[in-house]
């Protein structure tokens, strides 16, 4: 089968390419701003999801069996909210399975802490609102698509969060890690395996694929530092509530319903950040 990975040059996209190829898929991937290290095993397309004609041409040439949108457009509404809907429409026209990667930022973290797949979005940031709009639009035009919400993606010492911890400890950047900002971090290998499984199983609608442990950003930083043999006491702690940075506080994705659909076990941060556990399963 041919799998098209939108955002293949990113952290999650790179792992999706690796696992899809290992599973025997023909992989095609897109990039926008940053050109990847090209390999003969993966075909690459430069694609701006806001370019409807460019998307149509790519779909006609690739004719994918499966599309996974792992791109990140930040708070740009056209890229993050509108483009995934056009992608889902194109997937439906071509008969392709479609998986839209979403985020726990669609929730406010107020009024409740634990969110399962039935919870309706109530975002408080522009990024969260854009992602929530994409969820609604994708499922409106293609109900058979899967929208998979996840949390902080960690692993292979290459994630944004892991790099930040190193920068804070060595002093190349300044800042604090919040103790009141709670998430359920997931290992990139576990998340990738789950996305491919959900596509294979034909799962539709909203799914949750986050780790089993709820930890603060500061606690996560300490776990990363300990795994990497760094001095965790150099990580300053603070409160998001006292900062000017917008964002939800306590958002714990409950992934138990989705976990029942999976062979892949979505490990918690305490487990996968143990020194010997930061490797893909199987």
């Amino acid at each position: 089968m041919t799998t098209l990975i939108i955002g293949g040059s990113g952290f999650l996209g790179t792992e999706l390419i690796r696992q899809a190829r290992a599973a025997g898929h023909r992989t095609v991937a897109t990039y926008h701003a940053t050109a990847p290290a090209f390999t003969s095993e993966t075909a690459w397309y430069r694609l701006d999801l806001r370019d409807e004609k460019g998307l149509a041409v790519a779909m006609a040439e690739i004719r994918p069996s499966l599309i996974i949108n792992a791109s990140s457009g930040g708070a740009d509404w056209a890229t993050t909210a509108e483009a995934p809907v056009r992608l889902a429409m194109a997937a439906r026209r071509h008969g392709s399975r479609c998986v839209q990667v979403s985020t726990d930022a669609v929730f406010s973290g107020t009024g409740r802490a634990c969110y399962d797949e039935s919870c309706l979005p109530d975002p408080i940031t522009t990024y969260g609102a854009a992602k929530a709009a994409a969820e609604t639009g994708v499922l409106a035009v293609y109900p058979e698509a899967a929208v998979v919400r996840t949390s902080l993606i960690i692993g292979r010492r290459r994630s944004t969060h892991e790099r930040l911890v190193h920068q804070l400890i060595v002093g190349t950047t300044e800042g604090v890690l919040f103790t009141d900002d709670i998430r359920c971090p997931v290992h990139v290998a576990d998340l990738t395996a789950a996305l491919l499984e959900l596509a294979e199983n034909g799962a539709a609608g909203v799914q949750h694929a986050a780790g089993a442990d709820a930890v603060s950003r500061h606690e996560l930083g300490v776990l990363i530092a300990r795994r990497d043999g760094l001095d965790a006491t150099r990580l300053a702690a603070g409160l998001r509530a006292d900062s000017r940075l917008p964002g939800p506080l306590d958002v714990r994705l409950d992934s138990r319903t989705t976990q029942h659909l999976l062979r892949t076990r979505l490990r918690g941060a305490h487990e996968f950040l143990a020194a010997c556990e930061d490797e893909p399963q199987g």
Side-chain angles (χ1 to χ4, degrees):
M1 67 183 294
T2 298
T3 296
L4 172 60
I5 299 164
I6 307 295
S9 59
F11 177 49
L12 175 58
T14 300
E15 181 67 13
L16 280 163
I17 292 171
R18 189 191 73 78
Q19 289 197 29
R21 282 178 48 203
H25 299 203
R26 171 181 175 255
T27 57
V28 182
T30 73
Y31 68 97
H32 178 211
T34 305
F38 295 100
T39 65
S40 59
E41 294 85 0
T42 298
W44 286 93
Y45 278 71
R46 189 179 190 281
L47 179 65
D48 185 337
L49 282 180
R50 297 168 295 185
D51 179 2
E52 190 169 356
K53 290 183 179 179
L55 175 60
V57 169
M59 288 291 293
E61 292 180 358
I62 300 166
R63 304 192 66 82
S65 307
L66 166 64
I67 301 170
I68 301 179
N69 183 12
S71 64
S72 175
D76 181 78
W77 192 266
T79 303
T80 302
E82 297 172 358
V85 182
R86 286 194 294 273
L87 182 64
M89 293 172 67
R92 185 171 185 176
R93 284 196 301 271
H94 285 266
S96 308
R97 287 281 300 126
C98 182
V99 177
Q100 167 72 19
V101 180
S102 193
T103 170
D104 55 11
V106 301
F107 297 119
S108 69
T110 59
R112 63 186 301 159
C114 193
Y115 295 84
D116 65 20
E117 292 86 347
S118 68
C119 293
L120 297 177
D122 61 339
I124 59 174
T125 64
T126 303
Y127 171 66
K131 279 292 198 178
E135 290 187 2
T136 301
V138 165
L139 293 178
V141 301
Y142 197 178
E144 293 81 13
V147 168
V148 185
R149 296 174 183 147
T150 191
S151 190
L152 307 181
I153 307 174
I154 309 295
R156 306 197 185 284
R157 296 168 172 80
R158 290 178 44 233
S159 70
T160 300
H161 316 288
E162 289 161 291
R163 292 200 303 269
L164 175 61
V165 168
H166 281 244
Q167 292 163 0
L168 289 170
I169 289 176
V170 301
T172 56
T173 192
E174 295 182 355
V176 301
L177 296 177
F178 298 130
T179 57
D180 58 346
D181 186 331
I182 311 297
R183 296 293 187 274
C184 294
V186 65
H187 195 284
V188 65
D190 298 351
L191 174 59
T192 296
L195 292 171
L196 292 171
E197 269 197 71
L198 291 169
E200 178 186 350
N201 296 344
V206 175
Q207 312 292 334
H208 283 185
D213 298 339
V215 298
S216 73
R217 289 182 185 264
H218 185 268
E219 184 180 359
L220 176 63
V222 169
L223 292 172
I224 291 169
R226 287 175 177 169
R227 180 202 62 187
D228 295 346
L230 302 175
D231 182 3
T233 64
R234 294 181 61 84
L235 293 172
L239 296 175
R240 180 183 284 275
D242 291 340
S243 78
R244 296 182 179 180
L245 295 174
L249 293 179
D250 195 336
V251 179
R252 310 176 192 211
L253 289 187
D254 181 346
S255 303
R256 288 176 295 180
T257 297
T258 300
Q259 180 68 83
H260 289 312
L261 304 176
L262 299 171
R263 298 184 302 275
T264 300
R265 186 168 61 86
L266 298 167
R267 296 170 292 171
H270 286 92
E271 179 180 350
F272 67 70
L273 284 172
C276 61
E277 293 294 336
D278 189 19
E279 295 295 336
Q281 299 185 75

